[in-house]
Amino acid sequence: MATTHVFEVSGMHCGSCALLIDDALEDLPGVLSTQTTVKQGRATVELDASQSTPDDVVRTIEELGYKASLMS
């Protein structure tokens, strides 16, 4: 079952940062969709929790050098 989670992301400077995050998250198992915006400082991820967890999303974003935390 898929659920939508919103993550606060800091450290992004431009649209390329958001694209980099989206590209990395799309490679994560269970990610059905992802939309990251620099302006809002957020990543909205539709996730199949049977394949990946919100912690996996945070870890993936942080491995890219950004800070991330689950908002909802």
Side-chain angles (χ1 to χ4, degrees):
M1 178 164 157
T3 54
T4 301
H5 301 277
V6 179
F7 299 86
E8 183 176 9
V9 182
S10 60
M12 294 185 291
H13 304 289
C14 63
S16 293
C17 294
L19 289 174
L20 180 68
I21 291 169
D22 284 340
D23 284 347
L25 291 178
E26 286 169 359
D27 291 339
L28 199 60
V31 171
L32 306 175
S33 70
T34 174
Q35 182 177 17
T36 304
T37 62
V38 177
K39 190 172 185 178
Q40 293 181 337
R42 292 186 180 159
T44 303
V45 182
E46 188 178 358
L47 185 63
D48 180 346
S50 69
Q51 296 182 52
S52 292
T53 66
D55 286 341
D56 294 326
V57 173
V58 169
R59 191 174 311 108
T60 299
I61 293 171
E62 290 185 342
E63 284 173 357
L64 295 171
Y66 306 99
K67 293 209 180 287
S69 60
L70 182 63
M71 293 178 66
S72 65

